Amino acid sequence: MRKRLLLAAATLVAADASVAETVELTIDTDEPIGRIDPNIYGQFVEHLGRGIYDGIWVGKDSDIPNRDGYRLDVLDALMELDVPVMRWPGGCFADQYHWRDGIGPAADRPARLNASWGGLIEPNSFGTHEFFNLAELLGAQTYLNFNVATGTPQEAVDWLEYITSDSASALAKERRTNGRDEPWQVDFYSIGNETWGCGGNLRPAYYADLYAKFATFLKVAGDDQPKRIISGSHEGNIDYSRVVLEHPAVVNQADGISVHFYTLPTSDWSDKGDATGFPEAEWISTLARTLRMNDIIAEQLAMLDAVPEGGELGLYVDEWGVWTNPSPGEPGGVLFQQNTIRDAIVAALNLDIFHRHADRVPMTNIAQMVNVLQAMILTDEERMVPTPTYHVYHMYKPFQGASSLPVAFESPAYRHDETSIPALSASAARTEDGSIVLALTNADPRTAHRVDFGGHWRVASGEVLTGETMDAHNSFDRPGRVAPRPLELAGTTRIIEVPPQSVMVLSLEPSP
Ligand code: AHR
């Protein structure tokens, strides 16, 4: 009898899809890799394009339904994701941000030029109070990026005191006057952003001096200090971080170091490739490139292990995601790009990689939350749409805080022209309630793959996300075109068929 799981509602496979041989997959429940910090599902929120204004913040007087200025549709969608942590205010923008511009009565806040991103007007109506109140509403931790390039240590120290002090200091009183009695919590901070580039083009030894100086004074009252993150390298560039870490007062005053890695479909910054309407050559090049994340993490960890005390530092992937050419015809805004089933696969491949490094990677922040790069949510005036990436984050929620488990299987290859990548990706975890969750992704746009759990497990329930075409996406007119569907289980559930270009998250139970 043909062992098969019926995916009645889930089989949106391409017309010429075929099914390949069955792959045996085992999960090692005895040797957990480590706890998957929920912050691996962190997000990045920058003053860039329509990321904040229109995307999150419309102001209390807007016709768009809002709660205290935050648009309700976006707020509701974010609440569903259990956003664990948000990084703000940049990015490149952080190094031109002066926090005093964003406090006090909205009408008195100065409009500035956003020199980092298109010279647009930055109204400063979303500032410290608006960010920390949003974090509170979402139940998210906070990750602040201090301005090291055009700011001073004193400015940063004052900001930290303004936010966190419970005392009778002038800054704490000013916060109360501005409407917030209780202090907020800063859970993480970084000193500078991309200091090798937009954050000042600093030589690593000079940045190390600045980091050491800022860190010396950036303390909060009490024992519960924020975790301190060094702004590190990008992609395969290890040397910048290595030199920064040579300064003993850097390593001794840090809890982690960041790395940034963006996936460009073409690898060419002058023509990154389009977000939709791309050829299969750019489907596979995108996925091949994003899989480099695994090597980038491994190289960074090897570098940290070679530095005295470096092995104690967490690796924070605090910017990552797909970066394409801006989408023509989409609502205007800097770095606004459509988000397709290809982005969903990228998200799943990276989350699987992060799960495999759960013991060393305590946080990642996808770029960015709304309307910018690989966004969770897109908005157009009063309309909003969750992207395929949003759906992956929602499907993967059971992994937050779960114990990552090693998965063994031999993936078939997916080939196009000269490029070959593993067709299948997987990660597994034991959730806090003791159940086993398995993510399975098929990067092959043509061939379904069957996965056999060797009689050890059976599927209790699950969801699948796929698309009719390689660039299937949700538009404002068709917001539900790419959405997860529950698996309809019938017959044996010990073998599962993973449709082409799909992401699945399954709940497993021991096979009787
Ligand atoms: O996310 C967009 C930009 O990419 C960030 O501002 C910067 O840090 C990176 O280069």
Side-chain angles (χ1 to χ4, degrees):
M1 190 176 81
R2 194 173 174 215
K3 290 181 176 176
R4 191 180 161 102
L5 176 70
L6 294 180
L7 302 172
T11 40
L12 278 174
V13 294
D16 60 347
S18 56
V19 181
E21 290 304 299
T22 302
V23 173
E24 297 245 340
L25 180 146
T26 57
I27 301 171
D28 183 352
T29 52
D30 295 332
E31 302 280 345
I33 297 166
R35 177 174 180 263
I36 298 170
D37 195 313
N39 287 342
I40 280 179
Y41 289 80
Q43 310 224 1
F44 176 32
V45 183
E46 181 170 13
H47 290 246
L48 194 177
R50 298 190 302 109
I52 290 177
Y53 302 110
D54 295 352
I56 296 171
W57 180 258
V58 287
K60 294 175 188 150
D61 300 330
S62 171
D63 290 338
I64 296 174
N66 67 84
R67 173 169 171 185
D68 298 332
Y70 308 101
R71 53 184 301 161
L72 267 182
D73 50 3
V74 170
L75 207 52
D76 286 348
L78 292 175
M79 296 239 187
E80 285 292 315
L81 279 190
D82 294 347
V83 178
V85 64
M86 292 187 297
R87 173 175 181 245
W88 174 81
C92 298
F93 179 81
D95 279 296
Q96 67 167 105
Y97 186 61
H98 300 285
W99 67 273
R100 285 203 159 276
D101 290 346
I103 58 166
D108 297 345
R109 299 190 193 177
R112 305 270 185 214
L113 290 180
N114 185 334
S116 300
W117 298 112
L120 301 178
I121 290 288
E122 165 54 57
N124 278 306
S125 35
F126 187 97
T128 300
H129 290 246
E130 291 74 23
F131 172 72
F132 281 90
N133 288 342
L134 174 63
E136 223 164 55
L137 279 172
L138 295 176
Q141 291 195 306
T142 58
Y143 176 6
L144 215 53
N145 211 115
F146 287 117
N147 175 348
V148 87
T150 68
T152 62
Q154 188 62 56
E155 185 184 9
V157 165
D158 287 350
W159 194 15
L160 192 58
E161 181 181 324
Y162 178 91
I163 296 165
T164 62
S165 177
D166 200 14
S167 74
S169 77
L171 285 161
K173 282 183 180 165
E174 191 178 358
R175 184 194 66 237
R176 293 189 192 103
T177 306
N178 287 333
R180 174 70 185 199
D181 204 19
E182 294 291 306
W184 294 284
Q185 179 140 336
V186 174
D187 298 292
F188 303 86
Y189 68 67
S190 177
I191 299 173
N193 167 73
E194 295 193 353
T195 50
W196 40 264
C198 69
N201 286 303
L202 312 179
R203 287 177 300 166
Y206 179 59
Y207 168 58
D209 284 341
L210 285 180
Y211 179 95
K213 182 158 87 167
F214 273 65
T216 302
F217 301 101
L218 281 169
K219 306 262 166 39
V220 302
D223 296 334
D224 200 7
Q225 296 296 318
K227 288 206 176 348
R228 304 150 300 179
I229 301 167
I230 305 158
S231 174
S233 307
H234 63 107
E235 293 199 48
N237 175 356
I238 291 174
D239 289 338
Y240 192 89
S241 292
R242 198 200 326 265
V243 176
V244 173
L245 293 171
E246 279 170 7
H247 193 321
V250 169
V251 182
N252 296 341
Q253 299 189 91
D255 300 285
I257 186 162
S258 71
V259 62
H260 291 180
F261 171 50
Y262 284 101
T263 300
L264 277 59
T266 62
S267 306
D268 176 359
W269 282 96
S270 65
D271 181 9
K272 305 174 193 70
D274 292 335
T276 56
F278 46 80
E280 187 169 348
E282 283 181 26
W283 166 277
I284 196 168
S285 66
T286 304
L287 303 183
R289 187 169 161 82
T290 215
L291 285 168
R292 288 188 53 223
M293 180 67 90
N294 196 56
D295 293 342
I296 288 167
I297 291 176
E299 288 159 14
Q300 293 277 334
L301 293 177
M303 178 272 297
L304 288 179
D305 288 342
V307 170
E309 318 282 333
E312 305 295 311
L313 300 178
L315 183 65
Y316 289 72
V317 188
D318 65 10
E319 283 186 36
W320 68 275
V322 176
W323 193 327
T324 68
N325 297 328
S327 293
E330 300 289 348
V334 183
L335 306 191
F336 184 99
Q337 63 192 44
Q338 204 23 287
N339 193 294
T340 68
I341 188 70
R342 181 179 67 174
D343 295 75
I345 304 243
V346 166
L349 296 180
N350 280 281
L351 292 171
D352 289 347
I353 291 168
F354 300 146
H355 293 168
R356 287 197 280 277
H357 293 285
D359 52 339
R360 304 287 301 268
V361 175
M363 186 197 292
T364 88
N365 307 80
I366 192 167
Q368 300 192 1
M369 192 180 245
V370 187
N371 288 337
V372 175
L373 301 179
Q374 190 177 348
M376 297 285 140
I377 293 169
L378 303 177
T379 69
D380 176 20
E381 298 183 343
E382 75 291 350
R383 301 187 295 176
M384 75 80 94
V385 69
T387 65
T389 299
Y390 174 95
H391 291 309
V392 170
Y393 270 59
H394 196 273
M395 290 165 71
Y396 270 65
K397 269 191 346 180
F399 284 98
Q400 289 194 24
S403 176
S404 181
L405 300 173
V407 179
F409 63 100
E410 216 160 293
S411 175
Y414 154 51
R415 292 189 185 83
H416 181 77
D417 292 342
E418 304 297 302
T419 312
S420 171
I421 61 170
L424 290 177
S425 170
S427 64
R430 190 187 292 283
T431 63
E432 279 162 344
D433 69 5
S435 54
I436 301 292
V437 61
L438 174 71
L440 282 174
T441 294
N442 184 359
D444 188 327
R446 303 187 184 287
T447 309
H449 290 283
R450 272 197 294 264
V451 174
D452 182 344
F453 303 122
H456 298 296
W457 305 100
R458 64 178 208 90
V459 178
S461 62
E463 283 185 303
V464 61
L465 183 76
T466 185
E468 292 155 330
T469 58
M470 284 185 292
D471 70 346
H473 57 274
N474 294 329
S475 63
F476 296 107
D477 297 325
R478 289 186 65 189
R481 190 171 165 214
V482 182
R485 292 170 174 78
L487 294 182
E488 291 181 13
L489 301 172
T492 179
T493 50
R494 296 178 193 181
I495 296 181
I496 186 122
E497 186 175 306
V498 195
Q501 57 192 33
S502 73
V503 179
M504 276 183 174
V505 175
L506 310 173
S507 175
L508 301 183
E509 49 193 33
S511 208

